[in-house]
Amino acid sequence: MKINNLGSMGVNPYKRSLEKSAQTAQKPQAKEDKVEISSKAMDLQQTNEVTKARQEKIQAIKTQLENGTYTIDPKAIANGLLNFYKK
């Protein structure tokens, strides 16, 4: 008496998964990533007035730090924190 594999009938799930992954790898991907910048964002990037004023302020603070004349006002910091959290 000969007993055959009745349940499997030559089905190999690993082979199927390999074939599926090979098929998906062969398909060209139609989707591409792209970034769009709004006109407002472009305007903000091009404004130099704000960046110039900021750079001047940063340079002034750097010179004060180098000279040792930079002082911190704790009351101004506390008022700023209170105003931030009250709003």
Side-chain angles (χ1 to χ4, degrees):
M1 183 167 145
K2 187 174 183 182
I3 299 176
N4 294 328
N5 291 339
L6 297 175
S8 65
M9 291 198 240
V11 176
N12 187 350
Y14 299 109
K15 187 176 180 180
R16 276 195 211 166
S17 67
L18 285 174
E19 289 172 355
K20 284 183 182 179
S21 65
Q23 287 176 356
T24 56
Q26 291 176 356
K27 293 181 183 177
Q29 294 184 358
K31 295 182 181 180
E32 292 183 9
D33 293 336
K34 62 181 178 179
V35 175
E36 293 181 10
I37 300 175
S38 68
S39 60
K40 283 188 176 184
M42 292 179 93
D43 290 340
L44 287 173
Q45 287 178 348
Q46 293 175 355
T47 57
N48 290 329
E49 295 175 17
V50 175
T51 57
K52 286 181 183 178
R54 186 177 177 93
Q55 289 298 329
E56 290 173 2
K57 188 174 182 179
I58 290 171
Q59 188 60 37
I61 292 173
K62 280 183 181 181
T63 55
Q64 288 178 356
L65 283 172
E66 288 173 358
N67 296 335
T69 58
Y70 183 73
T71 58
I72 298 172
D73 185 13
K75 289 183 181 181
I77 294 172
N79 286 334
L81 287 172
L82 285 174
N83 290 337
F84 176 77
Y85 286 110
K86 282 183 181 179
K87 291 182 181 179

